[in-house]
Structure formats: structure tokens, C-alpha cells
Amino acid sequence: MSGHGFHVHGPHDHELEHAASGGHGNHGGHGDAPETPAGGMSMTSKIAVCTAVIATVGAIFSYMGGATQANAGIYKNNAAIKKTEASNQWNYFQSKSTKQALAEFARDTANDDRKQGWQDKVARYELEKTEIQTTAKKLEAEANRWDAQSEEQMHQHHRWAQATTVLQVSIALAAIALLTKKKWLERAMFGVAVAGLAVGALAAFHI
């Protein structure tokens, strides 16, 4: 306070007023707080929102990857079951072939009055072999279809896994961009995220 009744502000007075007002009284609009673009979000807010979206999409991709892997295992198991059933049928076929061969031998060495009986058995075994062979081939075809579906699901699983990994890299870049405030890292984050979405689209379309 001067002798003429007016107050002279010193530097410390300005600092006290600045602290009392919560740090909003900067001089001429040139304070130390980071500026936010007019009508938009700051870099930090933008990256935070994008990271949340990427993490959500990544979680969906991860779920799809797990589901397709489980399906591949189920289909492969179904194929194994059908292969076992087909193998059993071929063993049965071989057994009938052996019986048919024995019946043919008995027919050829039997008396004339018994030849017809053995011939009937030979014909019956031949008919049974045809039916067994048809069943075995049908089971093999089913096994091949299950194998093909399993391979397709595994391929799709790999695509989902690749997409999830790329999105995780994007999230890591986002964290580094937040710490370093580098614009090129922010752009790299968006680029990698787009690549992850593209790989996810390939998985969705079974490509």
C-alpha cells in the first residue's frame, strides 16, 4: 500500500491470486495448460476414446478366435469318430471276404448235391460285402467333410488371432503416444488399428 491510498501489486500478489482462482487467470491467454482445439477433443481424449473402442473390438475378435478354435476341435473329433466307424466297416468287409473265400473253396471241393448250398452262401457274402463297402465309403466321405470343416475353422481362428494381435499392438502404440505426445505415434496407432480391422474382416468373410 502506498502513501496515496492505492494498492500496488507485486509479483507474489499475482501468484496468490492465480492460485486462489484455481490457476485459470493466465495472462493474455498464454498459460501453461495444454490447449484443446476449438470444437474438438485433445490428443489425450481422442487416443483414450479410440483405445477403448479398439479394446472392445479386440475382445470381440478374441472371443471369435476362441469359438472357432473350439469348433475346429469338435469337428476334428467328429472326423476321428467317423474314421473309426469306417475302419470298423472295412474290418467287417475283410471278415466277409475271408468267409466268402472259404465258402468258395468249400463249394469247389463239395459234392454236387452240396455245391448249391455253398454257392448261395457265396452270393450272400458278396451282397453283404457290397452293402458294407457302401457304408464304409459313406463314413469316409463324412469324415472328410468334418476334416474340411475343421481346417476351415482353424484357418478362421488364425485370422481372428492375427487381428487380435494387431489390435493389441495398436493399443500399445496408443499408450506410448500418450506418454510421448508424438503425433506420428498417434497416426501409427490409427494405421495399425485399421490393419487389425482389415484382418478381422478377412476372418469374418472366411478369407
Side-chain angles (χ1 to χ4, degrees):
M1 180 73 68
S2 70
H4 298 285
F6 61 89
H7 188 273
V8 179
H9 290 277
H12 64 285
D13 295 317
H14 287 292
E15 292 299 325
L16 290 174
E17 290 174 2
H18 181 74
S21 62
H24 298 295
N26 51 34
H27 299 285
H30 298 289
D32 296 331
E35 295 183 359
T36 301
M41 295 188 298
S42 66
M43 175 183 176
T44 301
S45 299
K46 187 192 304 182
I47 293 178
V49 171
C50 291
T51 301
V53 173
I54 293 170
T56 301
V57 176
I60 296 173
F61 286 1
S62 179
Y63 168 79
M64 294 302 297
T68 50
Q69 185 179 30
N71 289 339
I74 292 173
Y75 296 161
K76 183 64 72 174
N77 184 63
N78 290 343
I81 292 173
K82 293 301 179 181
K83 287 178 181 179
T84 300
E85 293 177 357
S87 177
N88 291 338
Q89 288 296 314
W90 285 120
N91 290 335
Y92 192 33
F93 177 88
Q94 186 62 40
S95 174
K96 291 295 182 180
S97 295
T98 301
K99 290 181 179 180
Q100 182 183 13
L102 292 174
E104 289 173 347
F105 176 77
R107 178 199 61 191
D108 295 339
T109 58
N111 298 327
D112 291 340
D113 57 340
R114 300 188 62 184
K115 284 184 180 291
Q116 187 58 44
W118 286 112
Q119 179 58 38
D120 291 342
K121 287 187 176 182
V122 170
R124 189 190 73 193
Y125 289 142
E126 185 64 30
L127 179 61
E128 291 175 347
K129 281 171 55 181
T130 301
E131 294 175 351
I132 294 169
Q133 186 179 40
T134 301
T135 302
K137 289 183 177 180
K138 181 180 178 181
L139 290 170
E140 286 181 338
E142 291 181 14
N144 290 335
R145 283 196 296 270
W146 283 119
D147 269 333
Q149 291 183 43
S150 177
E151 292 298 326
E152 180 182 355
Q153 288 292 301
M154 278 305 297
H155 174 73
Q156 197 175 7
H157 161 70
H158 290 149
R159 286 295 192 199
W160 288 123
Q162 291 165 359
T164 302
T165 301
V166 175
L167 291 183
Q168 288 174 344
V169 172
S170 176
I171 293 174
L173 289 175
I176 299 173
L178 283 174
L179 292 174
T180 61
K181 308 297 183 183
K182 300 292 186 181
K183 291 295 293 183
W184 70 269
L185 280 173
E186 181 184 358
R187 289 191 290 269
M189 176 203 73
F190 287 123
V192 174
V194 170
L197 293 175
V199 177
L202 293 177
F205 289 103
H206 302 269
I207 299 175

